[in-house]
Amino acid sequence: MSETGAAEAKRGRRGRGGGGAARRAERSAVSFETAKYIERNIPNFEILTEEALQIIETNAEIILEEVGVNFVNNPAALDRWREAGADVQGERVRIPKGLARQLCASAPSEFTQHARNPERNVVIGGKNLVLAPVYGPPFVHDMKGGRRYATMEDFRNFVKLGYMSKWLHHSGGTVCEPTDVAVNKRHLDMLHAHMTLSDKPFMGSVTEPSRAQDSVDMCNILFGKDFVQENTVMTSLININSPMTFDDVMMGALEVYAQNNQACIISPFIVGGAMAPVSVAGTLTQVLAEALAGIAYSQLIRKGAPVIMGAFVTSIDMNSGAPTFGTPEASQITYGAGQLARRLGLPYRSAGSFNGSKLPDAQAAYETANSLNMGLLSGVNFMLHACGWMEGGLAASYEKFVMDADQLGTLHKMAEGVSIDANAQAMDAIREVGPGGHYLGCAHTQANFKTAFWRSDLLDYKPFETWAEEGSRDTIALAGARVEKLLADYQQPVMDPSVNEALAAFVTERKASMPDEIG
């Protein structure tokens, strides 16, 4: 597009920081605190023995060699595999033992995803944990309006809430599916919202290869084409159609992103008992085989392309067939997949605020707490769905979004580990207080009380009488009030006006170039 070229030329002259007017405006803008991505100082929980790991790895290689995987409606992918040394019969690709693992070795063990605000760049991999919001629900829910189809206004609201949330490091992708915009055009509005309403990192579109290309083109405007080719500015979700099927839509999007040096989460989508075996070891074998094939394919597109090994896993209610969340079996698989990812030297994506509840109630809280803590301890590096998930992923809840986002602070605190420096040992305090005293007024408490304990910005710890006088509000009511406050306090981050205009022009021109498609 001509606007794209003009914007790139301007950006090349002024550099990534933007013009003087933008810098002056940025200095005067209100800044909202965002915590740095988590850097773990605690050990990962490792559930599998060395023997179990070796069995699963061996069995995954056997599956790839003997059973194979399907690459559907993608002759170019079949040609790439054939050239790499795989046995290709029809759409079935059988990968010789060791080949997939050899190809995966060129993927980086960690990478930086750049935000338009460099202070909010994230490093994905190693001991780091990056938290991103819910992804993909067609419905939204709040306690005033109930459950309804999501709109673009809802989408923009969730982007604003994500931007305002201290413990979220990432703006995410399809935070909800705006059904009031044509299916072939909504990705443009969603990307525009992420780029303009937040300055945190974001995800690209994967619902059609041309939409992935639109995502790259818009990033070329925002960051500059050369910068995009040399750096990762998007992370995008590529789901595998389990069991062991790679469709042309998702692989087409992966091809676009890998060619342009953008990161893909290559993630089997597992509902245990339906799309994978009912056993933990069998499911882990399939997860590893699928992930190896997908990641290896990304490296056939571009050696060194950044990828994240994903594992989205739920179990199933054998009575109703409905997916279940926060269960022990899903935790065991998530812990085990983390070990397998680390042995491959790859960043790992899993976990989230998973629950099957229809309301942000006790079921939602229990299942979410189980899932979030599991993610922290399993060594997850990129946690999609970290806040806002409800009803098995069918609905994004306003109240639950802020409830979850608040509780993500506990993951930050837990990940710090236990300090053992002189101040933490508190020997002077123990000597000062002595037997029978109290610590409220001692020097150590006075010096440390502001930072000693993590504090919720949402939950109520007031005495009963005060709580009753203030209306006896439950957590959902408190969350609703916080949603209103955050949206009222929201201020849009500053963007260079010429970049803003070029992005808007790109969206307008692309929308005008095609008729609406009804999804």
Side-chain angles (χ1 to χ4, degrees):
M1 302 295 173
S2 58
E3 290 82 4
T4 306
E8 289 168 5
K10 291 178 182 176
R11 196 160 187 84
R13 289 194 295 272
R14 66 176 179 266
R16 280 196 68 227
R23 287 193 293 272
R24 288 191 294 273
E26 189 169 358
R27 285 194 293 270
S28 64
V30 174
S31 177
F32 298 99
E33 183 181 6
T34 297
K36 185 183 177 182
Y37 55 86
I38 292 173
E39 297 173 280
R40 289 181 181 84
N41 288 312
I42 58 174
N44 298 313
F45 179 66
E46 301 202 337
I47 198 169
L48 299 176
T49 65
E50 177 64 26
E51 179 186 14
L53 289 164
Q54 290 182 11
I55 289 171
I56 290 166
E57 289 172 337
T58 298
N59 288 347
E61 295 272 14
I62 291 171
I63 294 299
L64 290 177
E65 187 169 45
E66 295 183 4
V67 179
V69 297
N70 284 346
F71 276 76
V72 179
N73 298 324
N74 195 338
L78 300 176
D79 289 341
R80 290 186 181 100
W81 276 117
R82 192 177 290 109
E83 185 177 342
D87 175 22
V88 180
Q89 301 294 330
E91 293 186 325
R92 183 71 60 91
V93 177
R94 292 178 174 85
I95 305 172
K97 183 178 180 180
L99 175 58
R101 189 174 290 271
Q102 176 187 341
L103 291 169
C104 290
S106 61
S109 59
E110 67 177 40
F111 61 90
T112 298
Q113 184 184 348
H114 294 263
R116 72 176 177 95
N117 178 354
E119 293 181 1
R120 291 178 174 159
N121 294 350
V122 294
V123 179
I124 300 173
K127 294 185 176 181
N128 304 326
L129 171 56
V130 174
L131 301 170
V134 63
Y135 183 106
F139 299 101
V140 297
H141 185 282
D142 62 45
M143 297 311 295
K144 291 182 179 179
R147 185 182 191 259
R148 62 187 185 278
Y149 279 107
T151 66
M152 195 61 218
E153 181 182 3
D154 290 312
F155 186 93
R156 293 189 179 104
N157 282 340
F158 279 117
V159 172
K160 293 175 183 178
L161 289 174
Y163 171 63
M164 298 285 284
S165 297
K166 176 179 179 179
W167 306 113
L168 271 178
H169 318 115
H170 203 281
S171 195
T174 307
V175 191
C176 61
E177 190 78 37
T179 57
D180 58 338
V181 182
V183 68
N184 59 323
K185 299 180 180 180
R186 62 183 63 154
H187 68 287
L188 297 163
D189 288 333
M190 290 191 287
L191 278 162
H192 190 250
H194 280 303
M195 290 177 172
T196 58
L197 301 180
S198 175
D199 60 7
K200 295 181 180 181
F202 55 86
M203 301 175 73
S205 176
V206 296
T207 53
E208 212 276 334
S210 68
R211 297 168 199 166
Q213 187 60 54
D214 285 340
S215 304
V216 172
D217 291 343
M218 290 179 72
C219 283
N220 289 342
I221 297 171
L222 182 63
F223 293 96
K225 187 172 183 179
D226 290 342
F227 189 87
V228 169
Q229 289 300 312
E230 296 169 4
N231 300 276
T232 299
V233 300
M234 276 186 293
T235 300
S236 300
L237 178 61
I238 304 295
N239 278 132
I240 297 164
N241 287 347
S242 302
M244 298 179 290
T245 300
F246 296 77
D247 67 64
D248 58 321
V249 174
M250 281 288 172
M251 288 303 101
L254 179 148
E255 289 160 9
V256 170
Y257 287 124
Q259 287 165 357
N260 288 279
N261 197 37
Q262 302 309 303
C264 288
I265 305 165
I266 300 177
S267 190
F269 187 93
I270 300 292
V271 179
M275 300 154 73
V278 295
S279 65
V280 170
T283 296
L284 282 169
T285 298
Q286 183 180 310
V287 165
L288 180 58
E290 292 177 351
L292 281 170
I295 294 164
Y297 184 64
S298 75
Q299 301 305 294
L300 291 178
I301 301 299
R302 177 168 171 164
K303 188 175 182 179
V307 292
I308 301 170
M309 174 177 158
F312 177 91
V313 180
T314 74
S315 49
I316 195 170
D317 182 343
M318 287 299 184
N319 292 320
S320 68
T324 55
F325 299 90
T327 60
E329 296 80 13
S331 293
Q332 290 172 332
I333 293 166
T334 304
Y335 289 130
Q339 290 178 258
L340 294 167
R342 288 190 290 278
R343 285 163 73 93
L344 284 169
L346 293 170
Y348 176 44
R349 170 259 165 157
S350 196
S353 60
F354 297 147
N355 67 96
S357 184
K358 317 309 177 286
L359 295 170
D361 58 7
Q363 177 186 343
Y366 282 129
E367 293 175 351
T368 291
N370 288 342
S371 298
L372 291 177
N373 286 313
M374 165 192 76
L376 176 67
L377 296 178
S378 63
V380 166
N381 301 116
F382 188 90
M383 187 188 293
L384 196 54
H385 312 300
C387 64
W389 170 292
M390 200 168 69
E391 198 188 332
L394 289 175
S397 162
Y398 277 90
E399 288 87 2
K400 192 167 183 298
F401 191 102
V402 299
M403 291 161 65
D404 293 341
D406 178 72
Q407 286 298 296
L408 295 178
T410 66
L411 301 188
H412 285 73
K413 186 64 176 180
M414 188 68 180
E416 290 177 4
V418 177
S419 176
I420 201 66
D421 62 15
N423 181 63
Q425 292 174 40
M427 292 297 290
D428 289 344
I430 297 170
R431 291 190 182 99
E432 178 185 342
V433 173
H438 68 77
Y439 288 84
L440 293 176
C442 79
H444 184 267
T445 300
Q446 294 299 309
N448 290 279
F449 77 94
K450 289 184 179 180
T451 58
F453 306 117
W454 176 81
R455 291 186 61 187
S456 168
D457 290 326
L458 175 66
L459 302 182
D460 188 299
Y461 298 108
K462 300 182 182 75
F464 178 87
E465 292 77 13
T466 306
W467 170 76
E469 289 172 2
E470 293 180 352
S472 305
R473 294 181 297 175
D474 61 14
T475 304
I476 296 174
L478 293 170
R482 182 157 178 79
V483 169
E484 292 180 0
K485 176 173 174 31
L486 288 173
L487 292 178
D489 289 347
Y490 170 82
Q491 292 189 31
Q492 188 169 346
V494 172
M495 174 179 279
D496 187 290
S498 64
V499 174
N500 199 3
E501 291 169 8
L503 284 171
F506 180 92
V507 171
T508 299
E509 185 173 344
R510 284 291 290 138
K511 282 185 167 184
S513 70
M514 50 188 158
D516 289 357
E517 292 180 9
I518 306 301

